[in-house]
Amino acid sequence: MRSWTLSKTLIASCAFLSLTASVAAQTQTPAAPPSASDREAIAAASRAERDRELKLLGISEMQPGATAYDIGKPGNANYDESKANPYPRLPDVLIMSDGTPVKTPEQWKKRRAELKAMFDENVYGKYPAHIPKVTWSVDSVETTTVQGIPAIVKHITGRVDNSSWPAVTVEIHADVVTPASTKGKKVPVIIGGGSIRPRPNFPRPTPAPGQVVHMLSSPPDAPDSAKLLLEHSWGFVGRNSNDVQADNGAGLDQGIIGLVNKGQPRSLDDWGVLRAWAWGDSRLLDYLETDPDVDARKVSVMGHSRGGKAALVAQVDDPRFAIGFISSSGAGGADLYRRNYGETMGNIAGATEFHWFAGNFMKYAAAGHSANDLPVDSHEFIALVAPRPIFIGGGALLTDPVYVPGDAWQDARGMFMAAVAASPVWDLLGAKGLGTTTFPPMGTFIDSGDVAFRQHQYGHTPAPNWPYFIEFADKEFKKH
């Protein structure tokens, strides 16, 4: 199997690479790696912020996180399906908290509001009552080639009004790319769909005896998403979500979260980084609604890994997004919290990830507690997208003893199970859910309804699923 790879040692030595694998791979501009001293300072400040929030919660001990690559050793994540489902049942998405069954679309509106409130309080955090306005400008326009395709590139900047707290400045930079051949026509556009810069090519190393190499990205002959989209008469937006909010706990007094809070620490129910990134994507959609080359009725949102978590939040929060491509989003995204497979509650509430969520989320990863105490699960969040279409994808657990665990950390089966459990809401609203309850063979494309799913045979990458997402989106757009 051919692939892009990085050694375990390199990944462990620089958290920045984890970010580029998940968010920056779909963004406008790769950031420069921080220095070792900067990384340590960020890590220390993140730990301090987490400790502050834990003290407010009255939590003295947290569940430990699992390791990903120490297969078969104590403390490694579970990749044994027979041990993956310790809880007897999931919360029923169509039963109100008071036990009332939901049987009509009108009842679903009430249930949706109830679920949304629980996710706001316990998982992703609440939007502030007042968020400053973003003013967009087109800095320059160029006609160039992107992946060999003639394209029009608009370099845009969104400047957030910081008059309430000038100490924090937030500017959102993005590239809006449309095919030159469609100039004057409105085309579908997907936020997070690619970059104007060539995809980096990491050569496959020759592992030393006993060395484990983490499958980081796609096979070198996989189609580039920018090329696929432009050839298909679609456009895309390359963005860097870190412009909106840094991906660490040290930056919660900066970015849009810090600006709204005027540099003060966040409250336990304040929004986390995932919701801030989702807000940024909605502001990009504000701009796209004004762009004469964009069909604003056909704007999609895409994200991979932690970016996939944020893209799911964006599609739930903003009904203007026509469709979502949610890639390898894992725990905190489309994967079920009530699964013991891959990344754990201890990981996503740990010092390097807690900032994605509200502080309150850490209650459910405290020692003596579990995901079963969480009043909601991810299938109920996916259901908040209904009846709009959504594509959920991921990669495989790789059995090659050198290239493990592939995408097992993100748990493709758990994401499929969540899509199955969410599907009755599409059916209730006159659409169609996943259409099957049986986990499909590798590479099978499930697209008979408005919820689509595919697991590819490679590792932690969206690339092999792009052609299938485009096919699914085309079918969905033809319905309207």
Side-chain angles (χ1 to χ4, degrees):
M1 182 181 295
R2 291 176 295 173
S3 63
W4 295 354
T5 55
L6 286 177
S7 71
K8 176 185 175 184
T9 302
L10 181 56
I11 290 175
S13 68
C14 183
F16 166 77
L17 290 175
S18 174
L19 175 61
T20 57
S22 55
V23 179
Q26 298 295 331
T27 62
Q28 177 207 25
T29 307
S35 67
S37 60
D38 286 344
R39 291 197 304 271
E40 179 52 40
I42 290 170
S46 294
R47 291 191 297 269
E49 172 58 22
R50 181 173 178 263
D51 288 345
R52 184 192 70 83
E53 294 182 16
L54 289 175
K55 184 176 181 180
L56 290 176
L57 290 165
I59 296 173
S60 58
E61 183 181 357
M62 295 288 285
Q63 300 170 26
T67 60
Y69 313 117
D70 299 327
I71 309 300
K73 295 181 180 179
N76 196 71
N78 174 56
Y79 299 127
D80 181 346
E81 190 59 40
S82 69
K83 302 175 182 178
N85 298 303
Y87 305 112
R89 61 186 298 272
L90 293 173
D92 192 320
V93 69
L94 290 178
I95 294 182
M96 299 285 292
S97 294
D98 66 1
T100 303
V102 176
K103 297 182 178 180
T104 68
E106 284 301 314
Q107 287 179 306
W108 169 247
K109 290 180 182 179
K110 295 180 180 179
R111 175 60 169 160
R112 188 186 191 283
E114 180 179 73
L115 288 170
K116 181 72 161 49
M118 286 191 283
F119 278 101
D120 290 353
E121 178 71 25
N122 297 287
V123 183
Y124 299 109
K126 299 175 182 177
Y127 280 106
H130 303 287
I131 306 177
K133 180 182 177 181
V134 179
T135 301
W136 288 98
S137 63
V138 178
D139 300 327
S140 63
V141 181
E142 60 177 321
T143 300
T144 185
T145 58
V146 175
Q147 294 296 319
I149 310 297
I152 298 171
V153 181
K154 301 183 183 78
H155 304 286
I156 65 172
T157 300
R159 294 173 174 84
V160 183
D161 179 5
N162 68 339
S163 57
S164 65
W165 192 251
V168 174
T169 298
V170 180
E171 291 189 354
I172 308 169
H173 302 276
D175 300 321
V176 179
V177 185
T178 51
S181 62
T182 62
K183 186 176 182 179
K185 300 179 181 178
K186 293 180 179 292
V187 300
V189 167
I190 182 165
I191 295 174
S195 172
I196 63 174
R197 290 159 182 81
R199 184 175 63 185
N201 186 16
F202 298 114
R204 180 173 181 165
T206 301
Q211 180 187 17
V212 173
V213 179
H214 173 45
M215 176 76 77
L216 179 66
S217 196
S218 58
D221 56 353
D224 184 89
S225 59
K227 181 178 177 66
L228 282 174
L229 291 164
L230 292 171
E231 286 180 334
H232 201 68
S233 298
W234 277 47
F236 65 87
V237 176
R239 52 45 167 136
N240 189 337
S241 297
N242 290 281
D243 285 352
V244 176
Q245 189 67 43
D247 185 17
N248 55 64
L252 292 175
D253 60 353
Q254 298 292 312
I256 190 61
I257 295 175
L259 175 58
V260 170
N261 288 339
K262 298 183 178 180
Q264 297 302 303
R266 67 172 182 171
S267 299
L268 293 174
D269 61 353
D270 275 355
W271 52 343
V273 170
L274 296 178
R275 185 146 263 167
W277 288 348
W279 172 86
D281 283 349
S282 287
R283 303 292 69 77
L284 282 164
L285 180 49
D286 292 344
Y287 165 78
L288 293 176
E289 289 184 323
T290 71
D291 192 309
D293 297 320
V294 175
D295 186 342
R297 301 167 302 167
K298 297 179 180 179
V299 174
S300 310
V301 63
M302 185 273 174
H304 174 67
S305 195
R306 69 195 70 186
K309 305 178 203 296
L312 179 58
V313 176
Q315 192 183 8
V316 165
D317 288 353
D318 195 331
R320 297 176 298 167
F321 284 117
I323 187 170
F325 178 7
I326 313 303
S327 175
S328 297
S329 60
D335 189 23
L336 293 170
Y337 296 101
R338 287 167 172 80
R339 280 268 290 178
N340 174 32
Y341 195 99
E343 189 169 24
T344 68
M345 291 288 287
N347 289 110
I348 57 177
T352 61
E353 300 181 15
F354 79 97
H355 55 273
W356 295 344
F357 308 96
N360 281 336
F361 180 73
M362 290 191 287
K363 293 185 293 186
Y364 306 100
H369 293 270
S370 74
N372 209 38
D373 298 320
L374 191 64
V376 287
D377 212 314
S378 63
H379 65 296
E380 294 169 303
F381 197 67
I382 294 170
L384 302 184
V385 170
R388 290 169 293 149
I390 185 171
F391 180 107
I392 296 172
L397 165 63
L398 301 181
T399 57
D400 182 331
V402 173
Y403 297 94
V404 292
D407 211 26
W409 188 251
Q410 306 300 331
D411 188 15
R413 186 185 289 267
M415 292 187 285
F416 173 83
M417 292 170 65
V420 169
S423 288
V425 178
W426 272 264
D427 300 332
L428 176 71
L429 299 179
K432 185 179 179 182
L434 197 60
T436 181
T437 60
T438 302
F439 189 58
M442 186 72 62
T444 303
F445 184 29
I446 305 297
D447 71 332
S448 62
D450 300 296
V451 180
F453 176 86
R454 184 175 184 269
Q455 181 188 25
H456 61 74
Q457 68 269 36
Y458 295 101
H460 191 53
T461 170
N465 277 339
W466 267 109
Y468 298 90
F469 167 75
I470 293 171
E471 178 184 336
F472 174 65
D474 279 346
K475 182 188 73 171
E476 291 292 332
F477 288 155
K478 288 176 182 177
K479 294 179 180 180
H480 306 287

